[in-house]
Amino acid sequence: MNFKEYKKKALKDNPELYEEYKALEPEYELIKQIIRIRNEQKLTQQELADRTGTKQSNISRLEKGEYNPSLKFLKKLAQGLGKELYIEFR
């Protein structure tokens, strides 16, 4: 069983886990996008930190899901990645 199959089964079999997963989904989606864009641009965490005027450890903590960034920080990240930040309610 690969990880995708395991995750699908675990979420199906455990409604509480599914609810927690859904609650955290926006945060993890944002993290995935940041990592994907940074990798596409072949940037290290240090290079992104230099572009945004922060420390590499802040980028690392964010990518690990250990840091809850402010809107100001997300704007700086978007600028450092050459992207625009959009936030919406659904």
Side-chain angles (χ1 to χ4, degrees), residues 5-62:
E5 293 167 341
Y6 172 78
K7 183 175 101 173
K8 184 177 179 180
K9 181 175 177 2
L11 293 174
K12 181 180 177 188
D13 293 346
N14 187 335
E16 288 178 22
L17 178 63
Y18 176 79
E19 290 303 318
E20 287 296 318
Y21 179 82
K22 291 305 280 182
L24 293 171
E25 195 170 30
E27 287 92 334
Y28 287 114
E29 180 58 32
L30 179 63
I31 291 167
K32 284 181 0 185
Q33 287 183 32
I34 291 167
I35 293 169
R36 179 183 52 77
I37 295 166
R38 182 176 64 76
N39 287 331
E40 285 173 353
Q41 295 182 14
K42 299 183 182 355
L43 294 173
T44 65
Q45 289 179 345
Q46 183 62 57
E47 290 168 330
L48 180 55
D50 292 343
R51 286 184 178 191
T52 58
T54 192
K55 296 178 184 177
Q56 178 272 332
S57 60
N58 291 338
I59 303 297
S60 176
R61 287 182 21 227
L62 172 67

Side-chain angles (χ1 to χ4, degrees), residues 30 34 52 62 67-79 84-89:
L30 179 63
I34 291 167
T52 58
L62 172 67
Y67 176 62
N68 189 8
S70 66
L71 184 55
K72 182 177 180 179
F73 185 74
L74 291 175
K75 287 178 183 178
K76 287 169 64 173
L77 272 179
Q79 184 177 18
E84 294 181 23
L85 177 66
Y86 288 91
I87 298 173
E88 62 184 54
F89 292 98

